[in-house]
Amino acid sequence: MTQRPSPTALTYSANLNCILLGRQIHAQIIKLGMCNDTLSQNNIIKMYTKCGFLASGLKVFDEMPMKNLVSWTLVISGSVQDGEIEMGLGVYLGMRRTGLVPNEFALGCVTKGCADLGDKELGQCVHCFVLKVGMEKNPFVGSSILNMYAKLGDLEDAERVYECTDNHVGCWNAMIGAYAQCGYGFESLMAMSLMQYRGIRVDAFTFINALKGCLVVGNLNFGRQIHGLIIHSEVAFSTAVMNSLMDMYFKNGGELYALKVFSIAM
């Protein structure tokens, strides 16, 4: 009986960014006559796209006799992450024409692509589709659409999306970040305060986005208050949070505080 190469081996090569090992495993799969095995082909696409060889992943995708939702999603995600956004959006439209319903990961990548391209019209079409299939309550989809509108500078639509979502921390974080990104620093900080008032547990992304709001306001005292909350939280030693704190202090004239954070992080 022919034994299928373990998907773990392809994952291992992708995590190591070792294209040589990945190509060797791909060659072994071809040698074993498993080119029609959808699971193996999906893992090969994932390996190539994670290693930065999008063209090789697309070749595997094009030659697949049977493509499933995972196949399409991997190519959409790989294209957007590689900066080939128009290609990714084209693949998404191709998937829609097959009748497949995109999952939350595909929709997240597509909304990011729309924002990066500044294509609000397509973004609104994606939003309408999400409403049509009833995925607007999905926290990942909701926060992705919210982020898209914020990046497009449409805070009004971002707020409307937020109002339709459940009290999930990801959606709160997205709204806090949206206010900061659109230049509404006080509103960003107020959203974080309201989040805590309602008993929603904050995480590292909450603090990172709130610190962006502090930068917009330009108030060092607000930043120090958030620093106090961070110290008493579970993310006090998060590298990303520490970096955001130092950035806030340096840009608000608190160099000594920034150096203290740096010494603690070290």
Side-chain angles (χ1 to χ4, degrees), residues 130-142:
V130 167
L131 294 171
K132 181 179 178 180
V133 298
M135 292 180 68
E136 69 275 9
K137 294 291 185 182
N138 182 293
F140 184 79
V141 174

Side-chain angles (χ1 to χ4, degrees), residues 69-104:
L69 180 58
V70 175
S71 314
W72 289 92
T73 303
L74 285 169
V75 173
I76 294 169
S77 172
S79 299
V80 172
Q81 289 176 7
D82 201 54
E84 298 291 343
I85 299 170
E86 292 183 353
M87 179 186 295
L89 297 180
V91 174
Y92 164 76
L93 294 174
M95 179 179 68
R96 288 288 313 280
R97 285 191 287 269
T98 68
L100 285 173
V101 177
N103 57 23
E104 62 264 37

Side-chain angles (χ1 to χ4, degrees), residues 1 4 36 47 63 85 97 100 102 105-106 121 125 132 148-149 162 175 177 183 200 230 237 240 244 261:
M1 180 179 177
R4 173 190 293 166
N36 293 338
M47 179 274 297
E63 294 173 353
I85 299 170
R97 285 191 287 269
L100 285 173
F105 303 110
E121 185 177 352
C125 290
K132 181 179 178 180
M148 175 192 71
Y149 281 127
Y162 168 73
M175 195 66 241
I200 298 169
I230 291 170
F237 297 101
S244 295
V261 173

Side-chain angles (χ1 to χ4, degrees), residues 2 67-68 92 97-98 126 134 140 185 225 235 242 245 256:
T2 302
K67 303 176 179 68
N68 61 15
Y92 164 76
R97 285 191 287 269
T98 68
V126 175
F140 184 79
Q225 290 177 41
V235 298
M242 293 295 102
L245 260 177
L256 290 177

Side-chain angles (χ1 to χ4, degrees), residues 230-242:
I230 291 170
I231 290 172
H232 292 93
S233 74
E234 297 177 357
V235 298
F237 297 101
S238 162
T239 302
V241 173
M242 293 295 102

Side-chain angles (χ1 to χ4, degrees), residues 202-223:
V202 300
D203 60 16
F205 296 106
T206 311
F207 290 123
I208 290 169
N209 286 329
L211 288 167
K212 291 177 183 176
C214 289
L215 284 175
V216 174
V217 175
N219 189 306
L220 184 62
N221 288 328
F222 288 159

